[in-house]
Amino acid sequence: MRKFNLVLALFVSALVLVSCKEAKKAKKGVEDVATKVTETAKKAVSESKEAVVVIEANDAMQYNTKKIVVKAGQTVKLTLKNVGKMAKSAMGHNFVLLKKGTDMAKFATDAMKAKATDYIPAGDLIIVHTKLLGGGEEDTITFEAPEKGEYDFLCSFPGHYAMMKGKFVVE
Ligand code: ZN
């Protein structure tokens, strides 16, 4: 009988050990889920602080958008993709964001003469710009959204701005 009791005691303690382990596992599971939820929440916050903008430009001398809207205080991550096939020298595209109140026609005329710098003229009228891209190329720029308002953007390749322009709105 004593032997039986000993076996029983061993069995019970083994059982207790196992259930302890299970409890620990379950606790870890809950902690993992909690960590995941926190990470997701953090990600959502950082995403709202960042505006991801993707624009395409093509061989038909067009952007696929005429209006970009972001929020004040956001970091803008803007990618320009030249989805065309033509060479940069024939159908190059860029994205140039102008300071408020800039005379776009005058700017574009100055840009035309700036071939050596990929049609980015000297001066301080530009907030930000991408590289000049040939077919199949892309460039990403990151910048802080300027103050609330409406800004003009254009492609400064000679002759393109008449078709390749739009509004960049910060609200
Ligand atoms: Zn262009």
Side-chain angles (χ1 to χ4, degrees), residues 44-53 73-77 142:
V45 169
S46 73
E47 272 168 4
S48 67
K49 278 184 181 167
E50 188 177 80
V52 176
V53 179
Q74 278 186 322
T75 298
V76 183
K77 191 175 164 194
T142 304

Side-chain angles (χ1 to χ4, degrees), residues 82-146:
N82 184 342
V83 297
K85 290 194 162 46
M86 290 169 76
K88 185 166 93 169
S89 56
M91 185 57 78
H93 299 304
N94 61 9
F95 168 92
V96 179
L97 182 61
L98 297 176
K99 284 187 181 169
K100 233 185 253 177
T102 299
D103 181 338
M104 200 200 283
K106 187 183 177 305
F107 174 86
T109 306
D110 288 346
M112 221 183 278
K113 298 170 200 153
K115 189 168 191 283
T117 50
D118 279 347
Y119 307 110
I120 299 297
D124 63 348
L125 300 174
I126 297 174
I127 295 173
V128 73
H129 68 86
T130 65
K131 284 186 230 165
L132 186 68
L133 307 172
E137 294 178 335
E138 64 174 73
D139 187 28
T140 300
I141 51 173
T142 304
F143 58 98
E144 298 307 313

Side-chain angles (χ1 to χ4, degrees), residues 54-68 79-86 90-95 133-135 137 153-166:
V54 179
I55 310 166
E56 290 181 0
N58 62 25
D59 284 345
M61 212 193 285
Q62 283 169 334
Y63 289 125
N64 67 344
T65 182
K66 292 264 174 215
K67 192 177 180 186
I68 299 163
T79 301
L80 175 67
K81 291 182 180 178
N82 184 342
V83 297
K85 290 194 162 46
M86 290 169 76
M91 185 57 78
H93 299 304
N94 61 9
F95 168 92
L133 307 172
E137 294 178 335
F153 69 84
L154 74 153
C155 172
S156 68
F157 192 91
H160 285 198
Y161 90 96
M163 292 190 48
M164 299 187 75
K165 64 183 169 191

